[in-house]
Amino acid sequence: MAPAGRPGAKKGILERLESGEVVIGDGSFLITLEKRGYVKAGLWTPEAVIEHPDAVRQLHMEFLRAGSNVMQTFTFSASEDNMESKWEDVNAAACDLAREVAGKGDALVAGGICQTSVYKYHKDEARIKKLFRLQLEVFVQKNVDFLIAEVSLHVEEAVGCGSLKESDRPVAVTMCIGPEGDMHDVTPGECAVRLVKAGASIVGVNCRFGPETSLKTMKLMKEGLERAGLKAYLMVQPLGFHTPDCGKEGFVDLPEYPFGLEPRVATRWDIQKYAREAYNLGVRYIGGCCGFEPYHIRAIAEELAPERGFLPQASEKHGSWGSGLDMHTKPWVRARARREYWENLLPASGRPFCPSLSKPDD
Amino acid sequence: MAPAGRPGAKKGILERLESGEVVIGDGSFLITLEKRGYVKAGLWTPEAVIEHPDAVRQLHMEFLRAGSNVMQTFTFSASEDNMESKWEDVNAAACDLAREVAGKGDALVAGGICQTSVYKYHKDEARIKKLFRLQLEVFVQKNVDFLIAEVSLHVEEAVGCGSLKESDRPVAVTMCIGPEGDMHDVTPGECAVRLVKAGASIVGVNCRFGPETSLKTMKLMKEGLERAGLKAYLMVQPLGFHTPDCGKEGFVDLPEYPFGLEPRVATRWDIQKYAREAYNLGVRYIGGCCGFEPYHIRAIAEELAPERGFLPQASEKHGSWGSGLDMHTKPWVRARARREYWENLLPASGRPFCPSLSKPDD
Amino acid sequence: MAPAGRPGAKKGILERLESGEVVIGDGSFLITLEKRGYVKAGLWTPEAVIEHPDAVRQLHMEFLRAGSNVMQTFTFSASEDNMESKWEDVNAAACDLAREVAGKGDALVAGGICQTSVYKYHKDEARIKKLFRLQLEVFVQKNVDFLIAEVSLHVEEAVGCGSLKESDRPVAVTMCIGPEGDMHDVTPGECAVRLVKAGASIVGVNCRFGPETSLKTMKLMKEGLERAGLKAYLMVQPLGFHTPDCGKEGFVDLPEYPFGLEPRVATRWDIQKYAREAYNLGVRYIGGCCGFEPYHIRAIAEELAPERGFLPQASEKHGSWGSGLDMHTKPWVRARARREYWENLLPASGRPFCPSLSKPDD
Amino acid sequence: MAPAGRPGAKKGILERLESGEVVIGDGSFLITLEKRGYVKAGLWTPEAVIEHPDAVRQLHMEFLRAGSNVMQTFTFSASEDNMESKWEDVNAAACDLAREVAGKGDALVAGGICQTSVYKYHKDEARIKKLFRLQLEVFVQKNVDFLIAEVSLHVEEAVGCGSLKESDRPVAVTMCIGPEGDMHDVTPGECAVRLVKAGASIVGVNCRFGPETSLKTMKLMKEGLERAGLKAYLMVQPLGFHTPDCGKEGFVDLPEYPFGLEPRVATRWDIQKYAREAYNLGVRYIGGCCGFEPYHIRAIAEELAPERGFLPQASEKHGSWGSGLDMHTKPWVRARARREYWENLLPASGRPFCPSLSKPDD
C-alpha cells in the first residue's frame, strides 16, 4: 500500500461519516507548542498564530502529513480572559492558517470552541455569550467546514449546542469526562443523549483522560444512545498520556500535571491499539488531544490503513511495525523489526525510584 | 531577568569558552524529526533539508529560541550509505539552513560529522576518506564556524581528528561512550587524552547514554586530562532519556530502542538538574542529543541564566519553576507553582504492568 | 499499657461481640506451614497435626501470643479428597491441639469447616454430606466453642449453614468473595443477607483478596444487611497479600500464586491501617487468612489496644511504631523510631525488572 | 530422588568440604523469630532460648528438615550490652538446643560469634575480650563442632580469629561486606587474604546484602585468594532480601529496614538461582542470614540435590518446580506446574504507588 493523499473533491464531515469513512482528527496544540516554545503553560492561549505563524503552520502540516482529515483552528476560547484587543485578530488568523494547510490535502477546517476556560471560571455570563457569538461570526465569515465544541460542564453544553446550530454548520460536541460522568454526576450515557437532543451530530469525549479510559467512556456513551434510541456519530480525542490513576476530573489533578507527564506518554503502538479498539467500538472520528504528537496521529492512520485503503504521507518515513530496523547491524535490533515484538513490549521507565501510579490531588 | 538575545558581534567558539561563557548546544534532530514525520527510523538520514526545509528550519528556530548558541548542520555522515547523487546537495543545503537561522540570533554554525554509520560499518575505507574530505570541503566552502565530530570507535577517531585540523577551524570531538569506555576498553580518561593529543580543542561525549550516565563519563574524562596535564574544553550532549540500565554500548541495546523510549523521556526538571551538575563539574559546552526537545534546551538556559545573565527568548513563554500555574483555579494545582514541588516530584509512569528497568539485549 | 493476658473466665463468642469487644482471629496455617515445611502446596491438607504436632502447636502458640482470641482447628475440609482412614484422626487431633493452646490464654476454639475443596469440586454430594455430618460430630464431641464455615459458592453455603445450626453452637460463615460478588453474580450485600437468613450469627469474608479489597466487600455486606433490616456481627479475615489487580476469583488467578507472592506480603503497618479501617467500619471480628503471619495478628492487637485496653503478650518483644530502634547507633536509623515514618513509607521491591501489577490468568 | 536424611556417622566440617560435599547452612533467627514474636527488633538478643525454648527448637527443626547441615547456636554476641546475669545461661542453653536438634539429623553444631554489636559499638575492649573468652569457654565446654565468627570491622576480625584458633576447632569467618569492601576500604579480596592468614579455614560473607550482591563479593574474595596463592573453603550466607540499591553498609541504611522489607523477600526460585550460581562459583558452604526462611534453605537443598544425591526431608511436602499444582482444577494454574514458568516469572509487588528501588539513608 503506497503512501498517498486522498484525491478528489472534499466531502463534508457528515457525508464522510455517513458513508462509513474513518475521519482522523488532529492532535495536541497547546502542550506540543508549549514544548516547542510558543505557548505559555498556565495561560494556554493561542497568540502564536500571530506571533509565530510559521510554528503553528508547521504543526498543522505535520498533522496533515500524519493523516489528519481535520485542521482544528487554534483559537482563543470564548471565555478566555486575556483576549481584549488581539482576540479577534488571533481567531481570524487561526482560521486562515487552518484553511491554508487544509488546502494542501484532504482535510476539513473545524472551528474549535472551548467554552470553559481552563483556569478561570468566568462569572460574567453576558460577556461570555457576546464573545461566543463574536467567535461564531468569525467562524462563519471564515467559512469553516464544521464546528467542534469542547465542553465539560453540563449546563453550558446545552446552551453552547443551541447557539452553534444557528451557524448552519454540522456540530460536534465532546466532553472532558471519564466513565464516572460529568461534575454533576450525569453519566456518560445520559450526557451523550442530552448532547444529541441539543443538536449535536457528532458526540464524544476529548482531553482529560488517556486512551483506555476514554474508550470506556465512549462505550458508556454509545450504550446510552442505543438505550435512548438515538443516533449520532461517535468521536474520541483522548490524551496521549496513560492515566489509569486519574480521579473524576482527569489528569489536571495528577501530581505530574503539567510538567512531569513525560513517563506517561503513549508509544505509537499504544495508539495503534487504541485506534483499533475505537474502530471496533464503532467510533469513526478518531483523533487525539493534549500529548498527541504527529507520530501518534500517523499511528492511527497506519493502524486503520486496511480499512481506509491508503497510508498517510508521513508513512513515506515510517516502516510499518518497526520494519525500518531490518537492516540494522546488530541482529538483536533487527529482531525488533516485527509486529509481535512491539505489541508485546512492556517499556521500562528508566526511573526505578518512581512509582507506577500516583494519587490524584484534591 | 528579562528574556533577551545576546547582543553584539559574534565571538568564536573558543573565544567564548576561553572567556568562561557557557555555550549551549542544540538538541535532537533525527529522533525529533522522526516523530514529526520527516526522518525514517532505521535509515536516520537528513534528506529532509531538501525535501522539507521548512520543517528543518523550524526545528533550528525552536532550538535558537530555546537558547542554543550552536546550530549544528543536519548533514549526512561521511560513511552514509545512501548518499550518492544527492549527498552533496543535502550537505550544502544543511549548511545554508543552519547559517540562515544562526543569523537570527547569537548562534554559531557547527559542521557536524558523524564518522560511524549507525547501521552499517563500512569496510571501504578509501571511499570513506574521500567522502570525508568532500564533506570537509563543503563545510569550508560554506564557512562553518567550527566542526563537531561525533565518533565512537577508537581508531577512526584519531584519523578523523587529524583530517579535521586541516580545515583550519576549531574542532570539537565527542565520543558515544559511557563510563566503561570505548569498544576496545579504552577508558574515558584515556580517550579524552588521545582526542586532545590528536588536535581536538573541545572534548566530551554525546548520544548513547542518558544525562546522569554521561556526566559520570565526563568526570572520568576530566580526571584523565588532569592526570595527563592536558587542557581542553569540556562538552556534553547526552540523550534526553533516562538509561541507568544501559550496557556498554548504550541505548541501542535497550529493548525500547527506538520506538518505545517514551517512558524514559527526561522532564525539564531532570534537565535543569543535569545542567547544574554539568556546570559544577566544569563543563561549559552543554547541550543534548537524541530525545532532547526544544524545551529541554530551554531548561539548560533557564538553569544557567544566573551565570549567563540572561534568559532565552522562549522563556517569554515559560514561567520559571512552574510559576505559570499560580493563577490556576484549583488550589492544589496552584501549589505546584514552586521549585520545591518539581524538584522533588517522582513522576509516575501510569504503566503498572511495566517494569522500571530493562535488561539490554545482546 | 503493659502487655497482659485477659484475665477471668472465658466468655463465648457471641457474648464478646454482644458486649462490643473486639475479637481477634488467627492467621495463616496452610501457607505459613508450607513455608515451614509441613504442608504440601497443591494438596493443602492438614496431616501435620498428626505427623508434626509440635509444628502446629507452635504456630497456634504464636498466634495466641500475638493476640488471637480464636484458635481455629486445622482440619480437613469435608470434601477433602485424600481423607480416607486418617481423616477422623486428623480432625480429632486438630481439635485437641487447638484446645490445648486455647487453654493457655484468652482464646476460644472454633471448628473450621471449608466446604469447598480448593482443588477439586466434588460431585458425590451424598458422600460430602455424610463426611460433613461426621465432621460436625467430631466438633461436637470435642466441644468446640463455635463454628466457622468458609464457603465460596452460593448453593452450598445455604446447605452448610442449615446443617451447622444443628450443632447447637454459634455459627460464623465467611465467603471467599470480592466486591464483585460470588460466582453466580450474587452481590456481597445479597450474600450477607442470605447467610444471615440461613442461620449465621456472624458473617463476612475470608481469603482470596487482600485487606483493602476485602474491606470494600465488607462495606457492601454491611450495607446489604442494613437495607434488609438484618443484624449480624461482621467478620473479616483477608489475605496478608496486596491484590489490587485480582479478578473476580481472587489471588489464585494471579500469575504469582502460590510460589511468587512474596513481593505482595503486607507490612505490619499495612495491617495496622487495615485493622483501624475494619474497626471504623463496624467489624468486630478481625483476623487474617493466607499470608497472615503472627506479627500481622500482633499488628491488629497493637492497633486496637486503645479500644481493648491491653496489649498482646508478644508485644513484650515489640516496640510500638518502631520505638525499639531509638537506641540505634546510626542517627538515620533512630529517626525511624516513630509512627509518622512507618505510616508514610512507600517500601521498594528491590526488583526493578518486575512490574507492580499483574494481569490475572484465565 | 526420594527425600532422605544422610545416614552414617557425622564427618566434621572440614572433612566434608575437603571431600567436595556441599554444606548447607541454616537461615534467619533474629528476623524470623521477631516475626514469630520472640525477639525484639532493636535489641536483637537471643533470650528466647531460655524464655521460649520450644520456639527456638522448632525453628532449628525446620532448618534441619529443610536440609541444613549446620545448627548455628543462637547466642548472645560477646559485645552484647544487656547480657549481665543471664548471659552465660543463655549461651549454654543455646548450645544444648542446637545440639539436641543436630542429633536428629546430619547436622553439626557451630558456635556462633558476632563480635560487633549491631546497635552499640562497645568501647571497653578489655571487657569485650573477657566476655569473648568466656563465650569460647562455653563453646568448648559444650563441645561445638566448629566456630563461625561473623565480623564486619577490619581490626577486630584479626583479633577474633587469633583467639578462636585457641579453641582447637575449625574456624569459619564471614564478613558483612559488599563488593566495595570493608569500612576502611579494604577490598573483599584483601579481606579474604587477611582472614585466611589469621587462621580461618573457611571464609566468606554473611548478612547485610542480598544474594546477587553477596555473590559478587564472593567472586572478588575468591579472586583475591587466588592471586595470593592461598586456599580456603568459601562460604556465603546472604540476606533473603533483594538489595540492589544498598550502599556500602548494606540493608541497615535502606529506608525499609527493618519493618518494611517484605516486598524485597526472595522467592524460592530466586534462591535456587542463587544456590546454583554460588555452586558454580566454587562456594561449597551455602546458607542464608536475615530473611532466609526454612523454605529458602529447602530451595538450596533442592537445587543442589543432583550434586548431593538426595533431597531434604521437607521435600516430602514440596513438589519440585511447582509440580504440586498439576492437579489443580483450573488449567491456567496447572500450567504453572513447570520449571520454565517459575524461572521466568517477574512477580508483581501489588504496590503501584511504591518505587522499585530506594535511596539508602545516611
Side-chain angles (χ1 to χ4, degrees), chain A residues 325-326 328 330-338 341-342, chain B residues 361:
Chain A
L325 303 175
D326 60 5
H328 200 281
K330 296 187 174 193
W332 53 91
V333 177
R334 283 201 300 277
R336 298 175 194 158
R338 59 199 168 87
Y341 181 84
W342 295 107
Chain B
D361 290 337

Side-chain angles (χ1 to χ4, degrees), chain C residues 134-347:
Chain C
L134 282 172
Q135 186 163 21
L136 264 189
E137 276 175 28
V138 173
F139 287 149
V140 170
Q141 184 188 333
K142 290 294 184 179
N143 202 23
V144 301
D145 297 310
F146 68 105
L147 298 166
I148 300 176
E150 298 175 344
V151 298
S152 58
L153 294 175
H154 175 244
V155 176
E156 289 171 316
E157 127 213 342
V159 174
C161 293
S163 313
L164 292 173
K165 280 170 66 182
E166 298 166 15
S167 76
D168 206 28
R169 274 159 175 79
V171 176
V173 187
T174 53
M175 294 187 74
C176 304
I177 58 172
E180 294 179 61
D182 89 343
M183 286 182 191
H184 302 95
D185 291 322
V186 183
T187 64
E190 176 62 16
C191 284
V193 166
R194 294 198 201 172
L195 294 181
V196 173
K197 287 186 176 168
S201 305
I202 307 167
V203 299
V205 297
N206 76 296
C207 206
R208 292 286 181 110
F209 298 87
E212 299 87 345
T213 315
S214 292
L215 288 180
K216 285 184 197 162
T217 316
M218 287 310 301
K219 187 162 181 291
L220 296 171
M221 283 196 159
K222 185 188 177 189
E223 292 168 357
L225 291 173
E226 285 171 355
R227 270 195 308 273
L230 290 175
K231 163 124 180 61
Y233 299 111
L234 299 176
M235 168 174 178
V236 64
Q237 305 219 88
L239 299 177
F241 307 111
H242 291 290
T243 65
D245 39 0
C246 263
K248 190 171 176 182
E249 299 193 31
F251 83 138
V252 172
D253 291 350
L254 290 177
E256 292 84 6
Y257 173 88
F259 299 125
L261 292 163
E262 280 81 351
R264 295 176 179 269
V265 174
T267 66
R268 61 196 73 193
W269 322 115
D270 294 332
I271 297 306
Q272 290 204 213
K273 186 160 175 279
Y274 146 77
R276 178 56 54 196
E277 289 175 4
Y279 184 86
N280 289 345
L281 190 62
V283 183
R284 288 296 177 271
Y285 189 132
I286 305 172
C289 198
C290 300
F292 251 78
E293 300 287 333
Y295 75 106
H296 290 125
I297 293 297
R298 179 173 62 192
I300 300 175
E302 293 193 350
E303 177 65 30
L304 298 176
E307 284 75 13
R308 305 177 83 212
F310 57 94
L311 283 166
Q313 276 202 305
S315 292
E316 288 168 350
K317 301 291 178 186
H318 191 243
S320 165
W321 291 106
S323 63
L325 303 175
D326 59 5
M327 306 268 285
H328 199 283
T329 48
K330 295 187 174 191
W332 53 90
V333 177
R334 283 201 300 278
R336 298 173 195 159
R338 59 199 169 86
R339 175 171 180 158
E340 196 189 21
Y341 181 84
W342 296 107
E343 277 190 330
N344 292 307
L345 180 74
L346 293 167

Side-chain angles (χ1 to χ4, degrees), chain D residues 268-286:
Chain D
R268 59 196 73 193
W269 321 116
D270 294 332
I271 297 304
Q272 289 202 213
K273 185 159 175 279
Y274 146 77
R276 178 55 54 196
E277 290 176 2
Y279 183 86
N280 290 344
L281 190 62
V283 183
R284 288 296 178 269
Y285 189 133
I286 304 172

Side-chain angles (χ1 to χ4, degrees), chain C residues 65 119 255 263 328-329 341 351, chain D residues 37 65 119 255 263 328-329 341 351:
Chain C
R65 269 177 63 78
Y119 274 6
H328 199 283
T329 48
Y341 181 84
R351 291 168 158 93
Chain D
R65 268 176 64 77
Y119 275 6
H328 199 283
T329 48
Y341 181 84
R351 291 168 159 93

